[in-house]
Amino acid sequence: MTSQTNRIAPNAQALAELVAPPASSLMSRPEFVWGVATASYQIEGAIAEDGRVPSIWDTFSAKPGKVLHGDTGEHACDHYHRWSEDVDLIESLGVDAYRLSIAWPRVMHADGTPNRKGLDFYKKLLTRLAEKGIQRFVTLYHWDLPQYLEDRGGWLNRDTAYRFAEYADLVSRELQGLVTGWATLNEPWCSAYLGYGNGHHAPGLANTRWATQALHHLLLGHGLALPLLRANDPVARCGIVANVGRGTTDGTTEADRIAAQRYEVQHNDWILQPLLKGSYPEELFKLWPGTEPLVLDGDMEIISRPMDFLGINYYFRSNLRSDGGTGFVDVPLKDVERTQMGWEVYPQGLEDLLRRFKSQYDRLPPIYITENGMASDDAVVNGEVVDEQRMRFMKSHFAAVARAIDAGVDVRGYFAWSLMDNFEWAFGYERRFGITHVDYDTQVRTLKQSGRALQAFLALRRGS
Ligand code: IFM
């Protein structure tokens, strides 16, 4: 410890230690970016204000049985009105960066013209963050497609890729100079597979062939947007955010081993290979025969345009076995630690995947862990939320990232999911991912112990 850090009260040091990565790790260095993340539909509320048009999640969540307890994003965390105090909260954490997303339905009218009031909201927010010295990582599409585009076929319609590029062009012209890093899409796997493949997410369609076509159009939109973002905002870095999953098997046969491998192809390489190698993995179509998307000449060159960073979102590992055919079945392991989502706590999976991506993809850009975190059934007791499992989760995942960095993976930052409890899609408000507790009746925010521990670690790291 330096003499500067001795200014921290001993209890702050003990608190920091609850989450801190290994002291020797590059993650403690000033250039490593520590942040917190959110997404528009999950926190903003105000779905009918200032000219915002409906999104597919407004439509989907209004349908009975689609979201747990019938929850919707109507009010969420009311961030649209409370953004200023939320920025103060972010500042109080001492993070270097905030990752947020722009709501497409808020900033563009159905005729493609700008919605000034919506744009002004993000201008105010980003300006305030910049004034406070907080870096801004902005995702353009975190699943809230305008409903009028879904009515024309959504991501099954190739035209949506071009509409997305128009939207990216508008937003990056309007917000240029205010953004540190642009991510085109958040987790296109989820948009395509959960939205069009199994229907668990909006728009709720279920056909694997549609999922591969939707994914192709999402990635095409990403590739079309990249040069526009670069031209409009040359200083900002540009990339994409992918969710990744670790798949292993406790089975003993070669078929089980292949099943686990195919799970990773389906979860990871389906997205990463087109982006980083310009082709879809052949193994994917062994898993899903006959689902090849329609690809036009030149599409794969557009999709595989170079990026400045890759965002990786990691949550859990799955145990797979062969389904007796070309596919896999998920056979949950017994006696492993799980979160409120039922997801296994498996930090080693993050290290394994980061190392694999480095060895597999020559063109792997610098990586940010753009999401990592867990849900727990947190409650405020005597003014405090003691989320002990989350602190262990954070510490073990920080250590996994540190090991990957030691092994040579270029990881530049880590964003905790999430800044605050929010609308967890099909699980509504029941699943609490925040390092800040939100009381949805009063909108009171209470920093959980995990948030206080991160805050203490970051203060120690700064030596303040
Ligand atoms: O809440 C989501 C987020 O919107 C996308 N990544 C996974 C998180 C937890 O499920």
Side-chain angles (χ1 to χ4, degrees):
M1 289 287 159
T2 65
S3 55
Q4 272 183 320
T5 55
N6 289 338
R7 277 190 266 128
I8 305 279
N11 61 346
Q13 295 204 6
L15 192 58
E17 209 29 63
L18 293 171
V19 298
S24 59
S25 132
L26 291 182
M27 296 170 86
S28 299
R29 299 247 178 103
E31 62 272 20
F32 191 85
V33 176
W34 286 92
V36 283
T38 63
S40 50
Y41 193 73
Q42 295 182 272
I43 64 166
E44 285 179 2
I47 57 171
E49 257 177 76
D50 291 341
R52 179 187 179 278
V53 296
S55 80
I56 54 173
W57 270 94
D58 300 314
T59 311
F60 185 75
S61 60
K63 288 186 188 152
K66 296 296 183 191
V67 175
L68 199 61
H69 310 310
D71 292 342
T72 74
E74 188 178 354
H75 302 295
C77 307
D78 196 32
H79 172 73
Y80 191 70
H81 301 117
R82 295 167 194 266
W83 65 272
S84 178
E85 66 175 85
D86 289 338
V87 171
D88 291 345
L89 172 67
I90 295 165
E91 183 184 30
S92 77
L93 288 168
V95 288
D96 306 302
Y98 176 48
R99 174 174 176 246
L100 65 138
S101 79
I102 307 264
W104 186 350
R106 217 182 263 298
V107 297
M108 223 171 179
H109 299 297
D111 64 2
T113 56
N115 177 10
R116 290 280 149 218
K117 287 186 175 165
L119 285 164
D120 284 349
F121 169 70
Y122 294 108
K123 275 186 194 162
K124 274 185 315 201
L125 175 60
L126 293 168
T127 303
R128 180 74 62 83
L129 288 160
E131 283 165 2
K132 291 185 183 286
I134 298 165
Q135 297 176 42
R136 288 82 52 211
F137 282 73
V138 175
T139 303
L140 285 162
Y141 183 69
H142 197 125
W143 309 354
D144 38 4
L145 186 71
Q147 180 62 41
Y148 64 82
L149 288 178
E150 185 56 37
D151 296 341
R152 297 178 207 157
W155 291 108
L156 295 178
N157 183 348
R158 185 177 170 93
D159 185 60
T160 300
Y162 295 90
R163 301 287 76 76
F164 175 75
E166 261 173 31
Y167 156 66
D169 186 27
L170 166 76
V171 172
S172 55
R173 268 187 283 114
E174 293 285 338
L175 302 181
Q176 68 86 18
L178 291 173
V179 173
T180 312
W182 291 102
T184 52
L185 307 175
N186 177 72
E187 303 184 356
W189 183 94
C190 293
S191 303
Y193 187 69
L194 303 179
Y196 295 86
N198 71 11
H200 292 180
H201 278 189
L205 303 179
N207 179 316
T208 310
R209 170 70 186 79
W210 292 344
T212 62
Q213 194 63 58
L215 194 269
H216 184 68
H217 293 152
L218 280 151
L219 296 185
L220 183 64
H222 152 85
L224 291 168
L226 280 180
L228 301 167
L229 297 173
R230 291 192 190 290
N232 293 338
D233 199 3
V235 175
R237 282 162 275 156
C238 302
I240 194 170
V241 170
N243 56 304
V244 297
R246 180 72 174 124
T248 58
T249 185
D250 65 347
T252 50
T253 67
E254 177 64 2
D256 293 328
R257 195 189 59 75
I258 292 173
Q261 208 174 46
R262 290 210 171 136
Y263 171 93
E264 287 203 2
V265 168
Q266 198 259 64
H267 280 75
N268 309 329
D269 305 290
W270 179 24
I271 316 299
L272 297 182
Q273 189 171 314
L275 291 167
L276 301 174
K277 289 191 173 170
S279 61
Y280 287 106
E282 282 175 21
E283 277 290 301
L284 182 75
F285 305 111
K286 293 187 185 151
L287 176 69
W288 290 339
T291 65
E292 288 83 351
L294 178 65
V295 176
L296 301 190
D297 277 356
D299 284 1
M300 299 314 290
E301 287 72 32
I302 293 172
I303 288 172
S304 57
R305 283 174 170 154
M307 298 183 286
D308 304 322
F309 70 90
L310 174 68
I312 289 289
N313 296 352
Y314 172 80
Y315 287 91
F316 61 95
R317 177 255 308 251
S318 297
N319 179 54
L320 297 313
R321 294 209 200 134
S322 166
D323 68 354
T326 60
F328 52 76
V329 280
D330 197 326
V331 183
L333 291 172
K334 296 199 178 74
D335 303 324
V336 294
E337 183 184 355
R338 293 188 182 277
T339 70
Q340 191 193 16
M341 295 295 281
W343 296 346
E344 183 188 351
V345 178
Y346 191 67
Q348 184 60 42
L350 180 53
E351 180 191 349
D352 294 345
L353 288 172
L354 290 170
R355 293 172 73 133
R356 172 159 95 70
F357 298 152
K358 178 177 161 59
S359 67
Q360 190 168 335
Y361 291 112
D362 295 342
R363 288 181 42 213
L364 189 72
I367 287 176
Y368 290 84
I369 308 301
T370 33
E371 285 181 30
N372 178 236
M374 55 155 282
S376 49
D377 183 15
D378 301 317
V380 183
V381 178
N382 298 327
E384 269 202 292
V385 182
V386 182
D387 52 342
E388 194 265 335
Q389 189 189 17
R390 182 172 290 102
M391 290 189 287
R392 279 190 286 112
F393 182 101
M394 287 163 71
K395 191 172 179 76
S396 60
H397 284 78
F398 295 172
V401 175
R403 290 195 299 275
I405 295 174
D406 285 346
V409 186
D410 185 3
V411 184
R412 306 263 174 107
Y414 175 101
F415 292 76
W417 184 268
S418 176
L419 166 66
M420 57 184 148
D421 296 338
N422 58 50
F423 178 76
E424 177 52 25
W425 307 110
F427 296 96
Y429 296 101
E430 192 192 89
R431 310 292 162 95
R432 294 181 174 273
F433 274 91
I435 59 169
T436 306
H437 180 276
V438 176
D439 179 326
Y440 294 107
D441 294 326
T442 60
Q443 291 294 347
V444 167
R445 278 86 160 120
T446 307
L447 197 56
K448 300 180 189 177
Q449 199 174 24
S450 58
R452 295 204 296 116
L454 182 64
Q455 191 178 46
F457 160 67
L458 294 172
L460 268 177
R461 167 180 168 261
R462 279 195 311 274
S464 55

